[in-house]
Amino acid sequence: MAQQRLYAYNLTRQSFLSLGVRLAGTPWARLRGLTGRLKLRGDDGIWVVPSQGIHTFGLLFPIDVVYLDAQMRVIEVIEHVGPFRIGPFRRRCASVLELPTRSIFGSGTQAGDVLKVCSPEDLYAYWRAEPSSHPTQMRQAI
């Protein structure tokens, strides 16, 4: 069975980080991570839950890393983490997004931002419930 792809959306900046995040929520999935892949597509990534830090041993490419607390607030962002590195350990961290390089830059994500990682349907439901937070509504209000 194919794993559902999730959206990683920055609620604070009204921008997407990824349209293809996979959940790594089991011990095996967290251990495996991105190991064994030759590259990471622009719309790909994994959400490691739970996690307080990452490593890039076994990767052949750099990644962007976003540390999140339990309320999905960004604790720290690290751009372009090279292969065979150990990322910092963050005690307040509940999960980590591992994304293609330039994802952080492209979305404008910074520490303090709030993210939503969910299915496309859940994001659309959120926008329907909070119309002022929908990007189209924001543009119309300006």
Side-chain angles (χ1 to χ4, degrees):
M1 181 173 97
Q3 189 175 17
Q4 180 183 15
R5 296 289 182 150
L6 304 172
Y7 286 178
Y9 185 72
N10 186 325
L11 297 172
T12 306
R13 311 250 174 231
Q14 301 291 311
S15 62
F16 285 96
L17 282 100
S18 177
L19 299 176
V21 172
R22 290 178 298 113
L23 175 64
T26 66
W28 173 247
R30 289 191 301 271
L31 180 64
R32 183 167 182 251
L34 297 171
T35 304
R37 299 178 98 176
L38 296 177
K39 66 179 185 171
L40 197 57
R41 292 189 338 235
D43 63 347
D44 228 348
I46 63 168
W47 183 29
V48 185
V49 181
S51 179
Q52 294 180 319
I54 59 101
H55 68 83
T56 59
F57 295 116
L59 291 188
L60 303 173
F61 49 86
I63 59 173
D64 281 0
V65 181
V66 180
Y67 289 79
L68 301 165
D69 68 13
Q71 289 74 42
M72 300 299 289
R73 185 168 305 278
V74 176
I75 296 171
E76 183 173 352
V77 295
I78 305 174
E79 297 181 78
H80 205 84
V81 177
F84 301 99
R85 303 283 190 272
I86 296 175
F89 175 83
R90 297 292 178 240
R91 188 175 306 275
R92 295 182 308 134
C93 186
S95 63
V96 176
L97 279 169
E98 297 180 5
L99 303 166
T101 56
R102 311 270 307 154
S103 297
I104 292 170
F105 177 80
S107 66
T109 299
Q110 301 175 14
D113 290 356
V114 177
L115 304 187
K116 188 163 188 68
V117 180
C118 61
S119 70
E121 297 80 19
D122 287 345
L123 186 58
Y124 298 142
Y126 170 80
W127 282 336
R128 281 193 298 275
E130 300 285 335
S132 64
S133 67
H134 190 284
T136 306
Q137 297 294 330
M138 295 293 285
R139 277 189 236 112
Q140 290 175 354
I142 295 177

